[in-house]
């Protein structure tokens, strides 16, 4: 599988190092959030990498929901526990849960199908900032703290009409931001298309922290830093996902 270089297995446990997580974020997702840099003080593994590892190990089901419970740091030994046929938990040796998955319906373990769907989803997810979140925040007149941006991955769900769709593509058709004081709840809804036909739906929920009135100049600085980091990644040989 294409994910093999983004994690390792020792004594039956999965380990994701900071360099592996950072490489996945930049190369596969086009995500240059500094929180995924190996030397970041608040480093965390991208939630999309945990999602990708789960479907590569356990297959892609027609109905799946992923609930992210905690941020994952560098090199934590992970156990992937199946609780019956409908539940998977990703936790550490102290039973701290980082991700809970529920699933139902038919399952495919076809590596090509899983890789195509994973790349499709992660590439779309990597465009959340700035392409989706900036116009959404601007329309609501709010933004996250530009000095300490916090965009948390809360959950993701998918419903697939079939499990053999070729060349899938995600099309964003609805984006909402609910302002709850200092916290913003973002819902993104996508259609999954294959050869011009709708073959499923994907929904994603994000949490924005430290909301405040929107300031174009401050947000322009955040965007400039994003593209600076993206250009630096390209200079170091990282393939980026273009908008």
């Amino acid at each position: 599988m294409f994910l093999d270089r983004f994690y390792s297995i020792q004594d039956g446990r999965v380990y994701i190092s900071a360099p592996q997580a950072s490489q996945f974020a930049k190369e596969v997702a086009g995500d240059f959030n500094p929180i995924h840099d190996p030397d970041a003080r608040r480093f965390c593994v991208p939630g999309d990498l945990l999602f990708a590892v789960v479907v590569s190990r356990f297959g892609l089901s027609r109905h799946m929901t992923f609930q992210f419970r905690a941020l994952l740091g560098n090199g934590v030994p992970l156990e992937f526990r199946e609780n019956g046929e409908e539940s998977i938990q990703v936790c550490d040796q102290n039973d701290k849960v980082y991700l809970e998955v529920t699933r139902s319906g038919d399952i495919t373990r076809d590596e090509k199908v899983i890789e195509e769907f994973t790349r499709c989803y992660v590439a779309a997810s990597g465009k959340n900032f700035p392409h989706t979140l900036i116009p959404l925040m601007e329309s609501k007149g709010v933004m996250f703290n530009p000095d300490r941006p916090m965009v948390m991955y809360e959950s993701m769900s998918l419903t697939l009409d079939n499990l053999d769709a070729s060349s899938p593509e995600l099309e964003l058709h609805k984006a909402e931001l609910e302002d709850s004081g200092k916290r913003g709840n973002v819902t993104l809804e996508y259609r999954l298309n294959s050869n011009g036909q709708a073959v499923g739906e994907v929904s994603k929920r994000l949490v924005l922290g430290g909301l405040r009135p929107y300031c174009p100049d401050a947000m322009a600085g955040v965007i400039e830093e994003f593209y600076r980091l993206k250009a630096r990644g390209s200079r170091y040989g990282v393939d980026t996902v273009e908008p």
Side-chain angles (χ1 to χ4, degrees), residues 177-196:
L177 169 57
E178 178 187 357
D179 180 358
S180 300
K182 293 294 184 180
R183 172 188 170 115
N185 299 308
V186 175
T187 301
L188 305 176
E189 296 183 2
Y190 301 85
R191 292 189 183 94
L192 182 68
N193 298 319
S194 174
N195 299 317

Side-chain angles (χ1 to χ4, degrees), residues 12-62:
R13 295 185 174 89
V14 171
Y15 292 76
I16 301 174
S17 71
Q20 286 173 317
S22 181
Q23 187 74 3
F24 176 88
K26 295 175 174 63
E27 180 179 327
V28 181
D31 181 354
F32 291 84
N33 188 333
I35 202 171
H36 301 317
D37 288 345
D39 58 353
R41 184 174 61 86
R42 296 185 298 150
F43 166 83
C44 74
V45 172
D48 285 340
L49 179 50
L50 284 181
F51 154 80
V53 174
V54 167
V55 295
S56 71
R57 290 170 63 86
F58 298 96
L60 181 64
S61 299
R62 286 188 60 183

Side-chain angles (χ1 to χ4, degrees), residues 151-164:
V151 181
M152 302 286 293
Y153 200 168
E154 183 177 86
S155 66
M156 174 270 203
S157 61
L158 62 90
T159 297
L160 306 178
D161 297 339
N162 59 69
L163 294 171
D164 57 3

